Amino acid sequence: MAEAHADAEFKFEVLHKDLMGRVGRLRTPRGAVVETPTLMPVLNPGLASVGAGAIGAEEMRKHGAEMLITNAYLIYRKPDLREEAVKKGVHSLLGLGLDLGSGCETPVMTDSGSYQLYEYSDVEVSNREILDFQRRIGSDVCVPLDIPTAPFPHAKREQARADLEETLRRLREARETIWGGDKMLAGVVQGSSFLDLRAESARRAAEIGFDLYAIGGVVPLLASYRFEELVDVVVAAKRELPLNAPVHLFGAGHPMIFPLAVALGCDLFDSAAYALYAKAGRYLTSEGTRRVADLRFLPCSCPVCSSHSVGEVRESAELLASHNLCVSFAEMRTVKQSVAEGRLWELCERRCRAHPALLSGLRRLAKYSALLERFDPATKLHPFFYLGETSAHRPEVLRYSERLERFKLSGRVLVSTNPFSKEKCFTEKEEEKFESVFFVKPPFGPCPVELAETYPVGQAEVPAAAEADSEAKTVALRNVLKLLEMNAGKAKFVFVYDRSWACEYRCQPLIEEIGKYAEVKMKK
Amino acid sequence: MAEAHADAEFKFEVLHKDLMGRVGRLRTPRGAVVETPTLMPVLNPGLASVGAGAIGAEEMRKHGAEMLITNAYLIYRKPDLREEAVKKGVHSLLGLGLDLGSGCETPVMTDSGSYQLYEYSDVEVSNREILDFQRRIGSDVCVPLDIPTAPFPHAKREQARADLEETLRRLREARETIWGGDKMLAGVVQGSSFLDLRAESARRAAEIGFDLYAIGGVVPLLASYRFEELVDVVVAAKRELPLNAPVHLFGAGHPMIFPLAVALGCDLFDSAAYALYAKAGRYLTSEGTRRVADLRFLPCSCPVCSSHSVGEVRESAELLASHNLCVSFAEMRTVKQSVAEGRLWELCERRCRAHPALLSGLRRLAKYSALLERFDPATKLHPFFYLGETSAHRPEVLRYSERLERFKLSGRVLVSTNPFSKEKCFTEKEEEKFESVFFVKPPFGPCPVELAETYPVGQAEVPAAAEADSEAKTVALRNVLKLLEMNAGKAKFVFVYDRSWACEYRCQPLIEEIGKYAEVKMKK
C-alpha cells in the first residue's frame, strides 16, 4: 500500500484495530482532537432543507459530534451567507464556540458542491473558486469539486473513465491550491461501480497525496441497498489508500451501515440523514428505518424515547431528529467498543441481519477474508463466537487454516470428529499407540488435543460437532484434507467421523477425498 | 388447550400476536391496566441486596415500570418491616403513590420465598402463612410457596416428581385460601427439565385454575446458558396453559432473553438483574453483559450513556443500575413493536446472534415451527425477510408447504428455478404449451408465476435463487417434491434447475428423487 502524504503522518494515530476497522485519533493542524470512527452531522446554516427539526451546533456537540460538515457551495451561492462566512469564518457562521476543554474550535469539513453537480448536472462555481472559498472561510477539511459518477448501468465505463480523469485533474489542482498550513485536504475517490477504476482512482489520489481520503459516489448504492457492490467498491479503493490516513465514506449517514463500513476501514461518516429522515417522518434505528406513523412503541432507550410517548414523537420533527442523531452516535460508540474488544465481526453478524441485502453485504465481506486477515489482530481477549454460516469464513478461521502448515507429522496420527466421546472407536490403550491425536472442531478443523484449550480454537464457542451447520463442517473437513495432503507419505492417518457428518451431503465428497490419504472409519 | 379460570376471562386482552407472542392488556381486579409483555422490577425495601444502586418506586415508573414485584417472605422475616407492611400495605411500604392518570395504585406482585427455599433448602414460613401475609399486605398478585426443582442432572426425576406433587398440593391450598376479591393468584409450573413433568405440572395447574401462570425453576438454565432446554421447558408448559391468561417467566430479567421468551408466549418478566448486575459492575445490553471495567465506550443511547463518560458510569452503581433498567425497558418496547409489526422472528434472528448458545435456542425454536404456525398470524403487512439458515424454518414457510395441497394440477407443468432468466430452456412459445408454470423461490419452493407478487412468497425478500444457502434450497426442493408427489399421475412435470443448484451436495439426492416424478433438465 502507498505511503500517506508526509504531512499527515503524525495526525492520525490508530488506537485499536479489528478486521480492517480501527479506532483512531485524528489531530487537526489547529490542534483539535477527533476520535474516529466518527459521524459528522451535516449543518447547513439558513437552509430550509433541514427545516423544523434543526439542531444547533452546540446541541450537536452534546450528542457527541466531534466534527461537523457543511456545504461550502450552498453558503457560496447565497450572497448574504457568503459575505457573513468570509467575515466571521465558517465556525462562527455555524454557531460553534471555542471548546472550553481543549481551547480549540470544533473542526468543520466543507463539501464543495459535488453532490449538487451530480444531482443537477451543473454548478455555478469552478474547482479553484470553491477551494479558494473554503480556504477563506477557514474550513478545517477542504474538498475539491470532484465529479461523482453513478454506478453501472446508469453510467457506462467511458463516462466513469472520463469523470475520473477530470476528478484527478481537479485533485491535482486542489493540492496545488491548498498545501500545508492549517487546512487539511481530502482526496476524493470516484470510479463508479467499476472496481478497476475505483482502484486506479484511489492509487492515483494516493500518489498525489492527501491528508485524508473520501470515497464518493456511493449514495445510489446505499439508497438502493446494493450492499454487495458497496463492499466491492470500498475494498477496491481501500486497498490502494495509505493506511495512516483516515477514510471518509461520503454520504453514508444511516447507522445500519456503520458496522460494515467500519469493518472495511472507513473512519469518517457524514449525516444529513438524521434531519432529512426526521422531516419525512422516518425513525432511524441501527437495524433499519421505520415510518414513525407505523410505530406503536418506541424501540429505543434514548432520552427522547425514554421520556416521550410515541404520539409525542410522531408530532415533533425536532424530537424525531434528536432521536435520529442520538441513535446514530450510540451506534458509532457501539462500533468503537466492538473494535476495541475485537468483536466487530460479531456486531456485523447481528446488524447485517436487519435486511437480506445487508446479509448479502456480509457474505461479500466474508469473500474478502484473506484481505481482512492481514489487518485483523492475531490474538483477541474475547473468545470466537460462531453465530451462523458466515462465521465459518471469519479471518480467524482462515488464519488457522494457514497455520496448519506448521504441523510436520510422522508416525500414526488419529484425526477424529469426537475423540472425547465415551463411545470411542479405540480404547485408551489403542489411542496411546498414535503418535498424535487431532480432534476436528468446526469450522476450524483439525486441532491437536494438546492445544484443546488454546486461542482461538480452544476458546471458540461453537456448536457441538454433531450440531454444526454444513458450512462449518465443510470448512473443517477442507482443513482436515489440507493437513493430510501436506503430510501425505510422512504420517499414517486414521480418520474417524461421527455418523452426523455422514448425513451432510456436502461432507460426503470431502470424506471420500480424505479417504485417499487416510484409513476412514465411521462411528455408528 | 385448557380454558382459563373463569374469573380471569375479561382481565387479559390480546392486542397483537406474532409467533406465540402477544402484546396484551391486563386489567387487575383493582382497575389498574398493565400492558404486556412487561418487566416487573424487583424492589425489596430496606434490603442490602439492592445496595447503592437502589432506584425508588417512582423512578421505576418513569423508566416504564407498570407493575413491580417484591419478596413477601423477605418482608415477613423482618419484624419491623412486617409490621409496617401490615399497617400501611405493601404499596405504601414500597413508596408507591396513587397514579394520577388512572387513579389506581401501581400493581405489586409478591413472591413467596420459593427462591429462598431453593437457595437455602428451608424457609421459616408455611404456604398458608405466607399466602395469608400476602393477602394482609394487599398484594395484587399472590404467589404460593411452590417447590422449585433444579434441572437434570442436578435433580433426578424422582425428586422432580415429588416436588411437583407438593407444589400442586400447595397450589390447591392457595386457591382455597385466595379466591376472587381483589387479589390475583399465580399458578406456578415446576417439573425441572423433564418435559413430561413440565407439561403435567402446567395441565394440572390449569385444571385448578389461576389468574395467571408462572413458569418457575428456570434460573439455573438461564444462568448456564442452556437456552435450548429453556425453549423446550417453556414450550412444554405453555402448550398446556390457557391462552387467555398471562404467563410469567420467573427469574428472567436479562434483556437478551426477552425476544425469545416472548416468542414462546411469555408475558411477564421480573428483574432483580438491573440492580444485582450493577452492584457487580456489570453493564446490561440487549446483546449480552459487559463488565463496565472493560468498556472504553458506552454502546447505548440511554440518558445515562448519552450524557456521561464511561469513567463516570464505571464509578457509579446508581448510574449503572439506571442504564441497566433503561435498556431493559427499551428492549421490551422493541419486542412489543416487533410483535405489533409481525417481525418478532426477525428480531430473534438478530438478538440470538449475541451468543452461540442463544443461536442454539433459536434453532430449537425453529423445531417448534409447526406449533408456532398455529398461533402466528396468516398475513402480515411486513414482507418476509430471509436472514439466515434459521429463516428457512419460519412458520410462514411451513404454512406455505401445507398449502401446496391446494394445487390440483393436470396437463404439462413446468417447474423452474429461474423461469424469468434470459437463458431459458424453452422459448416463450414452448412455455405456452405448459398448462402451468411454477418458479422455485427458496426457501418456499414452487410458486405459480401468477402468484409471483402475492404474500408471502411474492413479497419475500430472499437471496436470489442462485445465491440461496443450502438450507433454503433444500427446503424449497422438498416442497417441489411434495407438489410432484401429490399430483403424480395427474400432471406431466418438467423440472428445470440452474447449475448453481447442482453444486449443492444436499440438493442432489432431492433432485434425483424429483426425477422419479418429472423430466429433469439442468440449465448450463
Side-chain angles (χ1 to χ4, degrees), chain A residues 298 300 333 351 353 387, chain B residues 287 298 300 333 353 387:
Chain A
L298 297 170
C300 172
R333 290 195 298 272
R351 293 297 195 257
R353 280 180 170 86
L387 301 174
Chain B
E287 299 165 350
L298 298 169
C300 172
R333 289 196 299 273
R353 281 179 169 87
L387 301 175

Side-chain angles (χ1 to χ4, degrees), chain B residues 218-376:
Chain B
V218 298
V219 168
L221 295 178
L222 289 164
S224 51
Y225 280 43
R226 291 162 67 178
F227 299 121
E228 290 178 293
E229 286 167 272
L230 178 75
V231 169
D232 287 339
V233 159
V234 173
V235 167
K238 178 73 191 177
R239 63 204 310 174
E240 302 292 340
L241 293 175
L243 281 178
N244 56 352
V247 173
H248 175 195
L249 189 61
F250 240 123
H254 196 302
M256 76 178 178
I257 198 69
F258 295 166
L260 200 57
V262 171
L264 293 166
C266 299
D267 309 292
L268 299 171
F269 299 83
D270 60 287
S271 173
Y274 76 94
L276 297 174
Y277 278 69
K279 243 185 93 186
R282 290 182 183 264
Y283 181 98
L284 295 182
T285 81
S286 56
E287 299 165 350
T289 312
R290 297 280 190 287
R291 291 182 351 130
V292 70
D294 294 341
L295 289 180
R296 291 168 185 270
F297 310 95
L298 298 169
C300 172
S301 68
C302 85
V304 168
C305 298
S306 292
S307 60
H308 292 87
S309 70
V310 66
E312 286 165 343
V313 176
R314 211 178 276 152
E315 295 304 315
S316 161
E318 198 168 346
L319 285 178
L320 191 48
S322 176
H323 156 83
N324 285 348
L325 207 51
C326 207
V327 292
S328 301
F329 280 106
E331 183 65 2
M332 202 55 95
R333 289 196 299 273
T334 303
V335 170
K336 284 159 81 174
Q337 177 60 25
S338 297
V339 170
E341 62 192 8
R343 298 180 68 177
L344 183 55
W345 185 283
E346 293 171 17
L347 184 67
C348 289
E349 288 263 15
R350 285 192 286 280
R351 294 295 195 256
C352 289
R353 281 179 169 87
H355 193 283
L358 277 168
L359 183 58
S360 297
L362 177 64
R363 290 199 174 124
R364 187 58 60 98
L365 178 73
K367 294 205 170 145
Y368 292 106
S369 198
L371 178 68
L372 297 176
E373 194 277 323
R374 287 165 47 200
F375 298 93
D376 193 57

Side-chain angles (χ1 to χ4, degrees), chain A residues 293-339:
Chain A
D294 294 341
L295 290 180
R296 291 168 184 271
F297 310 95
L298 297 170
C300 172
S301 68
C302 85
V304 168
C305 298
S306 292
S307 60
H308 293 87
S309 71
V310 67
E312 286 165 344
V313 176
R314 212 178 276 152
E315 295 303 316
S316 161
E318 198 168 345
L319 285 177
L320 190 49
S322 176
H323 156 82
N324 285 349
L325 208 50
C326 207
V327 291
S328 301
F329 280 106
E331 182 64 1
M332 203 55 95
R333 290 195 298 272
T334 304
V335 170
K336 284 159 80 174
Q337 177 61 25
S338 297
V339 171

Side-chain angles (χ1 to χ4, degrees), chain B residues 45 201 275 279 316 346 352 421 468 480 495 515 519:
Chain B
S201 176
K279 243 185 93 186
S316 161
E346 293 171 17
C352 289
S421 153
V480 169
F495 176 68
E519 177 189 346

Side-chain angles (χ1 to χ4, degrees), chain A residues 177-231:
Chain A
T177 309
I178 292 173
W179 183 270
D182 61 359
K183 308 271 176 300
M184 295 192 286
L185 184 61
V188 188
V189 176
Q190 291 291 348
S192 174
S193 48
F194 302 98
L195 302 186
D196 59 331
L197 296 186
R198 283 281 178 182
E200 182 183 332
S201 177
R203 189 167 53 246
R204 289 171 64 186
E207 279 164 14
I208 300 169
F210 291 90
D211 304 291
L212 56 89
Y213 296 84
I215 300 175
V218 298
V219 167
L221 296 178
L222 290 163
S224 51
Y225 279 43
R226 290 161 69 179
F227 299 121
E228 291 178 294
E229 287 167 90
L230 178 75
V231 169

Side-chain angles (χ1 to χ4, degrees), chain B residues 155-174:
Chain B
K156 301 286 181 293
R157 189 177 175 86
E158 300 69 47
Q159 193 197 329
R161 160 63 68 196
D163 289 351
L164 174 57
E165 292 300 335
E166 176 60 16
T167 292
L168 283 163
R169 193 194 65 72
R170 293 182 180 194
L171 291 187
R172 281 189 298 270
E173 190 173 74

Side-chain angles (χ1 to χ4, degrees), chain A residues 316-449:
Chain A
S316 161
E318 198 168 345
L319 285 177
L320 190 49
S322 176
H323 156 82
N324 285 349
L325 208 50
C326 207
V327 291
S328 301
F329 280 106
E331 182 64 1
M332 203 55 95
R333 290 195 298 272
T334 304
V335 170
K336 284 159 80 174
Q337 177 61 25
S338 297
V339 171
E341 61 192 8
R343 298 180 67 178
L344 183 55
W345 185 284
E346 292 171 17
L347 183 67
C348 289
E349 288 265 15
R350 286 192 287 279
R351 293 297 195 257
C352 288
R353 280 180 170 86
H355 193 283
L358 277 169
L359 184 57
S360 296
L362 177 65
R363 290 199 175 125
R364 187 60 59 98
L365 179 73
K367 294 205 170 144
Y368 291 106
S369 198
L371 179 68
L372 298 176
E373 194 275 323
R374 288 165 46 200
F375 298 94
D376 194 57
T379 53
K380 301 182 181 185
L381 284 173
H382 180 72
F384 177 103
F385 276 5
Y386 190 89
L387 301 174
E389 282 197 313
T390 31
S391 295
H393 302 286
R394 279 177 63 162
E396 291 91 335
V397 179
L398 194 73
R399 185 178 299 136
Y400 186 76
S401 166
E402 282 163 12
R403 292 193 179 169
L404 288 175
E405 290 165 18
R406 299 185 185 176
F407 293 112
K408 309 291 179 200
L409 302 174
S410 59
R412 294 190 74 211
V413 179
L414 173 64
V415 181
S416 167
T417 60
N418 198 355
F420 308 115
S421 153
K422 278 178 195 160
E423 304 121 34
K424 290 185 177 190
C425 274
F426 302 95
T427 63
E428 265 180 46
K429 205 139 195 186
E430 282 171 330
E431 268 191 21
E432 277 168 19
K433 289 183 195 156
F434 288 101
E435 241 76 15
S436 325
V437 178
F438 286 74
F439 67 101
V440 182
K441 185 162 180 175
F444 292 96
C447 177
V449 286

